[in-house]
Amino acid sequence: MTIKENIELIENDIKKYSKDGANLLCVTKTHGIDTIKTVYDLGYRDFGENKVQELLEKKQELPKDIRWHLIGHLQRNKVKKIIGEVFLIHSVDSFRLLEEIDKVASKKNLIQDILIQVNISKEDTKGGFYIEELENLFKNIEQFRNVRVLGLMTIAPNIEDEQYISSVFRELKKIFDKLSKLSYNNIDMKYISMGMTNDYILALKEGSNIIRIGSKIFGKRVYK
């Protein structure tokens, strides 16, 4: 199937399974410029990358109206390179990283939009805050002036138990809805980013409004 046909299938799933609609974030890691342009020419403007350097290199070669999302783990020593270069950082997984983002954004005199990564299943192999840490975290986030939290992100366990995966997504949506009703200075719950190629339909059913899709669009990754 072609990239266009793949995207049409995903868009049909969004219409079928999402009650309020969802944004397709096209994950372009390891794929080349020409392949990305194919998706751009279909009208898509949201693209996600895992690595800072790969994102920055592609950004230089592609149209300026693309909204770049960093979805991979962000090391603190890479923060200076990425602040102001992306529409949204999905993977803020520690308070020290938050502090560094705020510090660098302050020096650049801008506000960086981010999502807080939540580790619902408490897996050692995944980053993110535990549920019980969130209340205190959001109170502390109010001290920052150059970070704006626009929502939450999670990565479900890579298992075949769909009921458990759905429960992970459902739990994040409950937290998202609760936080949406509270008032914080620099927090606006707009985005709940959950669901990838293997589980995006489950995520849509549970209320995701950003799904991060790579291989379902582009096929297998092209390793360099």
Side-chain angles (χ1 to χ4, degrees):
M1 293 181 68
T2 66
I3 286 176
K4 181 180 179 181
E5 290 170 333
N6 290 338
I7 287 179
E8 286 174 349
L9 285 176
I10 297 167
E11 290 289 3
N12 286 335
D13 286 335
I14 291 173
K15 291 175 183 176
K16 183 176 180 180
Y17 297 110
S18 175
K19 185 172 73 172
D20 299 315
N23 188 38
L24 174 57
L25 173 56
C26 305
V27 178
T28 55
K29 57 186 179 182
T30 77
H31 294 286
I33 299 300
D34 289 342
T35 303
I36 299 170
K37 282 182 177 176
T38 299
V39 178
Y40 179 90
D41 289 341
L42 291 172
Y44 290 86
R45 296 295 181 268
D46 288 283
F47 294 93
E49 283 287 337
N50 273 46
K51 296 180 179 179
V52 169
Q53 193 58 39
E54 189 170 354
L55 186 155
L56 294 175
E57 289 172 359
K58 289 176 178 177
K59 183 178 180 179
Q60 286 185 335
E61 297 187 53
L62 286 159
K64 302 304 181 186
D65 61 337
I66 288 176
R67 293 182 293 265
W68 288 100
H69 300 242
L70 183 70
I71 62 173
H73 173 66
L74 176 58
Q75 297 173 305
R76 293 197 308 280
N77 63 359
K78 299 286 181 67
V79 169
K80 290 180 181 178
K81 294 182 178 181
I82 204 66
I83 297 303
E85 299 291 340
V86 290
F87 172 70
L88 195 59
I89 299 173
H90 287 232
S91 49
V92 177
D93 58 5
S94 73
F95 194 75
R96 291 179 69 190
L97 179 58
L98 263 170
E99 289 179 314
E100 185 66 20
I101 291 172
D102 184 69
K103 182 175 75 173
V104 173
S106 177
K107 290 179 180 178
K108 293 188 176 186
N109 195 30
L110 55 82
I111 295 173
Q112 178 65 59
D113 290 332
I114 66 167
L115 303 181
I116 297 296
Q117 182 172 345
V118 185
N119 189 343
I120 300 285
S121 51
K122 295 185 175 180
E123 293 178 86
D124 292 337
T125 56
K126 289 185 174 68
F129 295 90
Y130 294 162
I131 293 172
E132 55 267 28
E133 297 176 306
L134 292 178
E135 183 176 354
N136 188 54
L137 170 68
F138 276 77
K139 288 178 181 176
N140 285 317
I141 285 174
E142 286 196 295
Q143 71 182 272
F144 298 129
R145 294 292 174 265
N146 295 82
V147 167
R148 182 167 51 208
V149 177
L150 293 186
L152 305 175
M153 182 273 263
T154 199
I155 302 171
N158 186 22
I159 58 176
E160 295 183 2
D161 186 342
E162 291 190 352
Q163 286 189 330
Y164 183 70
I165 294 171
S166 292
S167 74
V168 168
F169 293 146
R170 193 176 307 125
E171 188 65 33
L172 190 71
K173 184 61 163 60
K174 282 171 57 179
I175 297 165
F176 178 84
D177 288 343
K178 180 180 178 181
L179 290 169
S180 297
K181 296 174 184 176
L182 302 177
S183 178
Y184 294 98
N185 287 334
N186 52 352
I187 299 168
D188 183 8
M189 289 286 118
K190 286 186 176 181
Y191 304 119
I192 177 167
S193 171
M194 55 187 192
M196 299 187 292
T197 289
N198 293 330
D199 56 24
Y200 74 89
I201 289 177
L202 299 176
L204 290 170
K205 289 179 178 179
E206 299 299 337
S208 175
N209 61 23
I210 296 180
I211 53 173
R212 311 179 301 272
I213 310 295
S215 58
K216 181 80 172 180
I217 297 172
F218 299 102
K220 293 182 179 180
R221 297 179 191 170
V222 182
Y223 292 98
K224 298 175 182 178

